[in-house]
Amino acid sequence: MAEYLLFAASSWVVMVSTNLDNLAVLLGLILVMDRRRSLLGFAMAQTLVLGLALAVATGLSQSGLPDWIGYLGVIPLGLGLLGIWRQVSGNGHESDIPKGEVASVVTLFLSLSVDTFAVMTPLLADSDAQFRLAALIGAGIASASLAGIAAWGAPHAQKLGPRAARLERVAPYIMVCVGLYILSNSPTDVL
């Protein structure tokens, strides 16, 4: 039981660290448009990302290539190293915040969630079915936590902005760690 809780917790950390940019955008959206529309768009995008990651992971694990699944860790490792390089070189980028309907909010969050998909897919593909469920539960709790923080923090967004920016600098390092874990193809996730 403890191993499932630890795997759910690690999935929670991955989800939070790859969604700090989404948190900042969600805080901004809540300030400029309807709170329910912003939260609904965020929830729908996260559900789509996790559902697609699970579908791809399941397809990969059933394709007869389970020995090669561990090499998917190159994706989060590469994205993490790219993020670290951008931090060091100062080549960060900002995204525009649309003010339209829920579909545009979902599209915005989907475009910001490529890193989440790239990390969660190999993590799920390299895991047994019970661990996938634990990872999805951890990721779902993380998404709900981020939505709650945004809903609560919108009135305090100017104070939280610099803290979220500092925390976002940690995300590439977590992606590198997840990539290295997946590349190691540890047998602990199939016990």
Side-chain angles (χ1 to χ4, degrees), residues 6 18 22 38 52-54 61 71 101 113-114 135 137 140 173 189:
L6 288 172
T18 59
N22 285 346
S38 302
L52 186 57
L54 179 62
S61 64
Y71 291 108
E101 297 297 318
S113 297
V114 172
I137 290 170
Y173 297 97
D189 56 356

Side-chain angles (χ1 to χ4, degrees), residues 113-128:
S113 297
V114 172
D115 54 346
T116 303
F117 176 76
V119 174
M120 289 301 292
T121 300
L123 190 67
L124 293 171
D126 195 36
S127 303
D128 199 22

